[in-house]
Short mmCIF file of all heavy atoms in Angstrom, two decimals:
data_model
loop_
_atom_site.label_atom_id
_atom_site.label_comp_id
_atom_site.label_asym_id
_atom_site.label_seq_id
_atom_site.Cartn_x
_atom_site.Cartn_y
_atom_site.Cartn_z
N GLY H 1 -55.77 -22.35 -56.09
CA GLY H 1 -55.25 -23.72 -56.24
C GLY H 1 -54.71 -24.02 -57.62
O GLY H 1 -54.15 -25.08 -57.84
N THR H 2 -54.86 -23.06 -58.57
CA THR H 2 -54.38 -23.28 -59.95
C THR H 2 -52.88 -23.08 -60.00
O THR H 2 -52.33 -22.07 -59.57
CB THR H 2 -55.05 -22.25 -60.89
OG1 THR H 2 -56.47 -22.39 -60.83
CG2 THR H 2 -54.57 -22.51 -62.34
N PRO H 3 -52.14 -24.06 -60.57
CA PRO H 3 -50.71 -23.87 -60.83
C PRO H 3 -50.49 -22.81 -61.96
O PRO H 3 -51.17 -22.88 -62.98
CB PRO H 3 -50.22 -25.22 -61.28
CG PRO H 3 -51.33 -26.17 -60.95
CD PRO H 3 -52.56 -25.40 -61.00
N VAL H 4 -49.62 -21.88 -61.74
CA VAL H 4 -49.35 -20.82 -62.74
C VAL H 4 -47.83 -20.60 -62.81
O VAL H 4 -47.07 -21.09 -61.97
CB VAL H 4 -50.06 -19.48 -62.37
CG1 VAL H 4 -51.55 -19.62 -62.42
CG2 VAL H 4 -49.58 -18.99 -60.98
N ARG H 5 -47.46 -19.85 -63.84
CA ARG H 5 -46.08 -19.37 -63.95
C ARG H 5 -46.10 -17.86 -63.70
O ARG H 5 -46.82 -17.10 -64.31
CB ARG H 5 -45.51 -19.68 -65.32
CG ARG H 5 -45.43 -21.16 -65.64
CD ARG H 5 -44.66 -21.37 -66.95
NE ARG H 5 -43.23 -21.23 -66.74
CZ ARG H 5 -42.33 -21.09 -67.73
NH1 ARG H 5 -42.78 -21.07 -68.97
NH2 ARG H 5 -41.06 -21.00 -67.48
N LEU H 6 -45.24 -17.44 -62.80
CA LEU H 6 -45.09 -16.07 -62.45
C LEU H 6 -43.83 -15.54 -63.11
O LEU H 6 -42.79 -16.19 -63.11
CB LEU H 6 -44.99 -15.90 -60.92
CG LEU H 6 -45.18 -14.48 -60.32
CD1 LEU H 6 -46.61 -14.03 -60.58
CD2 LEU H 6 -44.87 -14.52 -58.84
N ALA H 7 -43.91 -14.36 -63.71
CA ALA H 7 -42.76 -13.80 -64.44
C ALA H 7 -42.53 -12.35 -64.05
O ALA H 7 -43.52 -11.63 -63.82
CB ALA H 7 -43.00 -13.95 -65.98
N MET H 8 -41.26 -11.92 -64.08
CA MET H 8 -40.93 -10.55 -63.76
C MET H 8 -39.63 -10.16 -64.39
O MET H 8 -38.68 -10.97 -64.51
CB MET H 8 -40.83 -10.35 -62.25
CG MET H 8 -40.80 -8.90 -61.86
SD MET H 8 -40.65 -8.67 -60.07
CE MET H 8 -39.02 -9.26 -59.84
N ARG H 9 -39.52 -8.92 -64.86
CA ARG H 9 -38.30 -8.38 -65.42
C ARG H 9 -37.26 -8.09 -64.30
O ARG H 9 -37.64 -7.58 -63.23
CB ARG H 9 -38.57 -7.08 -66.16
CG ARG H 9 -39.59 -7.16 -67.29
CD ARG H 9 -39.02 -7.74 -68.52
NE ARG H 9 -39.98 -7.77 -69.62
CZ ARG H 9 -39.83 -8.58 -70.68
NH1 ARG H 9 -38.81 -9.41 -70.75
NH2 ARG H 9 -40.73 -8.56 -71.64
N PRO H 10 -36.00 -8.36 -64.53
CA PRO H 10 -34.99 -8.13 -63.49
C PRO H 10 -34.90 -6.68 -63.04
O PRO H 10 -34.60 -6.41 -61.85
CB PRO H 10 -33.68 -8.58 -64.16
CG PRO H 10 -34.11 -9.49 -65.25
CD PRO H 10 -35.42 -9.02 -65.73
N GLU H 11 -35.18 -5.71 -63.94
CA GLU H 11 -35.04 -4.31 -63.56
C GLU H 11 -36.17 -3.84 -62.68
O GLU H 11 -36.16 -2.72 -62.12
CB GLU H 11 -34.97 -3.42 -64.80
CG GLU H 11 -36.23 -3.39 -65.64
CD GLU H 11 -36.26 -4.42 -66.76
OE1 GLU H 11 -35.52 -5.43 -66.63
OE2 GLU H 11 -36.98 -4.23 -67.71
N GLU H 12 -37.25 -4.69 -62.50
CA GLU H 12 -38.37 -4.30 -61.68
C GLU H 12 -38.17 -4.60 -60.20
O GLU H 12 -38.97 -4.17 -59.37
CB GLU H 12 -39.66 -5.01 -62.18
CG GLU H 12 -40.08 -4.65 -63.59
CD GLU H 12 -40.67 -3.28 -63.67
OE1 GLU H 12 -40.81 -2.59 -62.65
OE2 GLU H 12 -41.04 -2.85 -64.81
N VAL H 13 -37.13 -5.33 -59.85
CA VAL H 13 -36.86 -5.64 -58.44
C VAL H 13 -36.50 -4.33 -57.72
O VAL H 13 -35.58 -3.63 -58.12
CB VAL H 13 -35.73 -6.68 -58.29
CG1 VAL H 13 -35.44 -6.91 -56.78
CG2 VAL H 13 -36.14 -7.97 -58.95
N ARG H 14 -37.23 -4.01 -56.66
CA ARG H 14 -36.97 -2.74 -55.91
C ARG H 14 -35.99 -2.99 -54.77
O ARG H 14 -36.07 -3.98 -54.06
CB ARG H 14 -38.25 -2.20 -55.34
CG ARG H 14 -39.18 -1.59 -56.38
CD ARG H 14 -40.43 -0.97 -55.71
NE ARG H 14 -40.04 0.02 -54.72
CZ ARG H 14 -40.90 0.62 -53.87
NH1 ARG H 14 -42.20 0.30 -53.94
NH2 ARG H 14 -40.50 1.51 -53.02
N THR H 15 -35.09 -2.03 -54.61
CA THR H 15 -34.14 -2.11 -53.50
C THR H 15 -34.14 -0.87 -52.65
O THR H 15 -33.48 -0.79 -51.62
CB THR H 15 -32.69 -2.33 -54.04
OG1 THR H 15 -32.39 -1.28 -54.97
CG2 THR H 15 -32.57 -3.66 -54.75
N ARG H 16 -34.84 0.20 -53.12
CA ARG H 16 -34.88 1.46 -52.37
C ARG H 16 -36.32 1.82 -52.03
O ARG H 16 -37.27 1.38 -52.68
CB ARG H 16 -34.27 2.59 -53.23
CG ARG H 16 -32.88 2.32 -53.76
CD ARG H 16 -32.40 3.52 -54.52
NE ARG H 16 -31.23 3.28 -55.35
CZ ARG H 16 -30.11 3.96 -55.31
NH1 ARG H 16 -29.99 4.97 -54.47
NH2 ARG H 16 -29.11 3.69 -56.11
N GLY H 17 -36.46 2.69 -51.03
CA GLY H 17 -37.77 3.19 -50.63
C GLY H 17 -38.72 2.11 -50.19
O GLY H 17 -39.93 2.21 -50.39
N ILE H 18 -38.20 1.08 -49.55
CA ILE H 18 -39.03 -0.04 -49.08
C ILE H 18 -39.41 0.21 -47.63
O ILE H 18 -38.50 0.32 -46.76
CB ILE H 18 -38.33 -1.36 -49.27
CG1 ILE H 18 -38.00 -1.59 -50.76
CG2 ILE H 18 -39.17 -2.52 -48.74
CD1 ILE H 18 -37.14 -2.82 -51.02
N GLY H 19 -40.66 0.28 -47.33
CA GLY H 19 -41.15 0.47 -45.96
C GLY H 19 -41.94 -0.72 -45.46
O GLY H 19 -42.13 -1.69 -46.19
N ALA H 20 -42.46 -0.57 -44.26
CA ALA H 20 -43.19 -1.70 -43.65
C ALA H 20 -44.48 -2.02 -44.42
O ALA H 20 -44.96 -3.13 -44.40
CB ALA H 20 -43.56 -1.34 -42.19
N GLU H 21 -45.05 -1.01 -45.09
CA GLU H 21 -46.26 -1.24 -45.83
C GLU H 21 -46.07 -1.62 -47.30
O GLU H 21 -47.01 -1.82 -48.04
CB GLU H 21 -47.14 0.03 -45.77
CG GLU H 21 -47.49 0.48 -44.35
CD GLU H 21 -48.25 -0.60 -43.57
OE1 GLU H 21 -49.14 -1.23 -44.19
OE2 GLU H 21 -47.91 -0.86 -42.42
N THR H 22 -44.83 -1.68 -47.75
CA THR H 22 -44.52 -2.02 -49.13
C THR H 22 -44.95 -3.47 -49.42
O THR H 22 -44.50 -4.37 -48.72
CB THR H 22 -43.03 -1.84 -49.45
OG1 THR H 22 -42.63 -0.51 -49.16
CG2 THR H 22 -42.72 -2.18 -50.90
N PRO H 23 -45.78 -3.70 -50.40
CA PRO H 23 -46.17 -5.07 -50.73
C PRO H 23 -45.04 -5.88 -51.29
O PRO H 23 -44.10 -5.36 -51.89
CB PRO H 23 -47.28 -4.90 -51.77
CG PRO H 23 -46.99 -3.57 -52.39
CD PRO H 23 -46.42 -2.71 -51.33
N ASN H 24 -45.11 -7.19 -51.04
CA ASN H 24 -44.15 -8.15 -51.60
C ASN H 24 -42.73 -7.86 -51.18
O ASN H 24 -41.79 -8.06 -51.98
CB ASN H 24 -44.27 -8.14 -53.15
CG ASN H 24 -45.64 -8.54 -53.65
OD1 ASN H 24 -46.40 -9.22 -52.94
ND2 ASN H 24 -45.98 -8.11 -54.88
N ARG H 25 -42.53 -7.42 -49.94
CA ARG H 25 -41.14 -7.22 -49.48
C ARG H 25 -40.67 -8.48 -48.76
O ARG H 25 -41.44 -9.21 -48.12
CB ARG H 25 -41.12 -6.02 -48.49
CG ARG H 25 -41.93 -6.20 -47.24
CD ARG H 25 -41.99 -4.91 -46.44
NE ARG H 25 -40.72 -4.51 -45.86
CZ ARG H 25 -40.30 -4.88 -44.66
NH1 ARG H 25 -41.05 -5.71 -43.91
NH2 ARG H 25 -39.15 -4.51 -44.20
N PHE H 26 -39.39 -8.80 -48.97
CA PHE H 26 -38.81 -9.94 -48.33
C PHE H 26 -37.27 -9.78 -48.33
O PHE H 26 -36.73 -8.91 -48.99
CB PHE H 26 -39.21 -11.24 -49.06
CG PHE H 26 -38.75 -11.28 -50.48
CD1 PHE H 26 -37.53 -11.89 -50.85
CD2 PHE H 26 -39.52 -10.73 -51.49
CE1 PHE H 26 -37.12 -11.95 -52.18
CE2 PHE H 26 -39.15 -10.81 -52.81
CZ PHE H 26 -37.93 -11.40 -53.16
N GLU H 27 -36.63 -10.60 -47.54
CA GLU H 27 -35.17 -10.59 -47.50
C GLU H 27 -34.62 -11.64 -48.46
O GLU H 27 -35.18 -12.71 -48.61
CB GLU H 27 -34.67 -10.81 -46.09
CG GLU H 27 -34.95 -9.67 -45.14
CD GLU H 27 -34.22 -9.81 -43.81
OE1 GLU H 27 -33.84 -10.97 -43.48
OE2 GLU H 27 -34.00 -8.78 -43.12
N ALA H 28 -33.49 -11.28 -49.08
CA ALA H 28 -32.87 -12.20 -49.99
C ALA H 28 -31.35 -12.03 -49.93
O ALA H 28 -30.84 -10.93 -49.64
CB ALA H 28 -33.36 -11.95 -51.43
N THR H 29 -30.67 -13.11 -50.23
CA THR H 29 -29.18 -13.10 -50.29
C THR H 29 -28.73 -12.79 -51.70
O THR H 29 -29.22 -13.39 -52.65
CB THR H 29 -28.61 -14.43 -49.83
OG1 THR H 29 -29.08 -14.73 -48.49
CG2 THR H 29 -27.11 -14.42 -49.85
N ILE H 30 -27.80 -11.85 -51.84
CA ILE H 30 -27.21 -11.49 -53.12
C ILE H 30 -26.28 -12.65 -53.56
O ILE H 30 -25.32 -12.96 -52.85
CB ILE H 30 -26.45 -10.18 -53.10
CG1 ILE H 30 -27.31 -9.03 -52.54
CG2 ILE H 30 -25.90 -9.83 -54.46
CD1 ILE H 30 -28.45 -8.64 -53.39
N GLY H 31 -26.58 -13.21 -54.72
CA GLY H 31 -25.72 -14.29 -55.24
C GLY H 31 -24.68 -13.74 -56.18
O GLY H 31 -24.12 -12.64 -55.96
#
């Protein structure tokens, strides 16, 4: 329930080798 700020480097976003068991996978639109 604690509000937090989540941060991540742009180069850490994975686009390859993503399977059904890969954590934190989702679909996104390229802007």
